[in-house]
Amino acid sequence: MAARVSQESLEHESIADSGHSLFFYGTLLHPAVLKRVLGHEGNGLRHQPALLDGYTRHHVRDNTYPAVLPWDEAKELFIGTSEPLLEERNVRGSLVTGFSKLDVDLLDIFEGDEYERRLVSVNPLADSQPLSVAAADAG
């Protein structure tokens, strides 16, 4: 599955009829935050855990949100320290499908202008379920 990287979300290419798909790895992992940003309950959205291989997650200095970097770019951050093992060079998050163009625009506004989208591959780790089920599980 292909995705575009931002500070908190990844947009992955999806089947035209199913809308946009996004991979979240920060604040937007929480369904309540996601629904607040969208301004609706997320009816029609589906959620599943997923993994972004070949990337590492990092704290952004002086901020409360994380960022992900491709390992080829991130490895210089580990000079003089121990590098993560190969199996640790991935980012766990949530793949949510079914977003409208307006939803994506609202998420872009939430993200701000300090991010870059990139096309990447994400690997779903389980079957998808309605966002409402994920929200109930997050309790």
Side-chain angles (χ1 to χ4, degrees):
M1 299 187 152
R4 295 195 182 276
V5 177
S6 73
Q7 285 178 339
E8 297 225 24
S9 63
L10 302 169
E11 182 178 3
H12 111 115
E13 285 183 303
S14 58
I15 300 168
D17 292 341
S18 66
H20 299 273
S21 298
L22 298 162
F23 175 82
F24 300 106
Y25 58 89
T27 313
L28 293 168
L29 279 169
H30 306 284
V33 175
L34 180 58
K35 291 190 292 185
R36 193 172 319 126
V37 171
L38 296 176
H40 62 76
E41 290 300 307
N43 296 333
L45 297 179
R46 297 191 61 82
H47 164 276
Q48 65 192 120
L51 195 65
L52 175 63
D53 289 320
Y55 279 69
T56 53
R57 181 180 169 178
H58 304 271
H59 172 76
V60 177
R61 186 177 301 161
D62 300 325
N63 287 291
T64 58
Y65 53 81
V68 297
L69 293 171
W71 174 244
D72 288 343
E73 295 175 26
K75 62 184 169 188
E76 67 187 47
L77 300 174
F78 293 91
I79 294 173
T81 65
S82 60
E83 292 184 0
L85 300 172
L86 183 60
E87 59 269 14
E88 295 172 325
R89 297 176 194 168
N90 58 62
V91 176
R92 187 175 289 270
S94 297
L95 179 63
V96 181
T97 61
F99 289 104
S100 69
K101 173 70 169 103
L102 177 58
D103 292 337
V104 174
D105 290 344
L106 291 169
L107 290 162
D108 284 343
I109 291 167
F110 175 80
E111 294 280 12
D113 59 358
E114 293 185 22
Y115 73 96
E116 176 184 345
R117 291 182 186 234
R118 296 183 189 181
L119 195 58
V120 298
S121 294
V122 296
N123 301 301
L125 298 174
D127 292 335
S128 69
Q129 57 187 356
L131 184 65
S132 59
V133 173
D137 289 346

